[in-house]
Amino acid sequence: MYAELQAFTDTLPPAVQWIAVIGLGVIPFVESYTGSVIGVLAGLPPLVAIPAAIVGNVASMLVAVYLAHGLRSRVRGSRPERPLTPRRAKLKQRFERYGVAGVALLGPLALPSQFTSAATISFGAPRNAVIFWQTVSIIVWGVALGGLAAVGVTFIN
């Protein structure tokens, strides 16, 4: 199956290969870390697969951050805060414990970056801090797992 995936990928134009991996990076739960692995396993060079997955993930995270920030600004207004659901209360507790950086760097272990970034914005975190730390997290996770996949592929071949 691995060889068939690489053979199929080789038949595609390079632009389509890039776009496919960027598309994988946009999908929650796939993101940069799995998208870069899939790209490397499909036969793309790691220096193509990893940045493409990162670009897709960062783009979707930016959309989530700006939508959450805009929505929070409109809804928040002068209304009092509603009680949190148990799930959001747990997420807020982690946010207060680890801060924006901790939630961004550890968040992919539990939730996609699009969800954690929107949640941290909803808890009142500064938009630019969320964008910065989420971008750092996306790069770290994408490079780490894409690099591991590249090392693994060299052992397979």
Side-chain angles (χ1 to χ4, degrees):
M1 183 171 159
Y2 170 70
E4 293 160 352
L5 176 62
Q6 285 188 336
F8 171 74
T9 303
D10 287 340
T11 65
L12 299 172
V16 173
Q17 295 172 3
W18 270 80
I19 291 169
V21 177
I22 289 171
L24 289 172
V26 170
I27 302 169
F29 294 105
V30 175
E31 304 192 47
S32 67
Y33 44 91
T34 309
S36 61
V37 169
I38 293 170
V40 169
L41 292 177
L44 274 68
L47 293 176
V48 171
I50 295 169
I54 288 170
V55 165
N57 198 177
V58 168
S60 64
M61 178 272 302
L62 287 172
V63 168
V65 165
Y66 281 104
L67 286 174
H69 184 265
L71 183 62
R72 184 177 195 278
S73 297
R74 269 189 250 127
V75 170
R76 187 74 179 111
S78 60
R79 291 186 195 179
E81 282 195 33
R82 293 184 354 218
L84 297 173
T85 65
R87 185 177 211 172
R88 283 185 49 84
K90 189 175 183 180
L91 188 59
K92 185 169 184 176
Q93 177 188 11
R94 289 212 170 89
F95 168 67
E96 289 170 350
R97 183 174 185 186
Y98 300 114
V100 175
V103 170
L105 293 168
L106 298 174
L109 296 172
L111 291 170
S113 60
Q114 298 91 338
F115 296 175
T116 56
S117 61
T120 53
I121 289 290
S122 74
F123 296 143
R127 182 183 63 200
N128 290 339
V130 172
I131 290 171
F132 174 78
W133 284 108
Q134 285 292 350
T135 302
V136 169
S137 174
I138 289 166
I139 292 169
V140 166
W141 282 94
V143 168
L145 277 106
L148 287 173
V151 169
V153 165
T154 59
F155 286 120
I156 291 173
N157 293 333

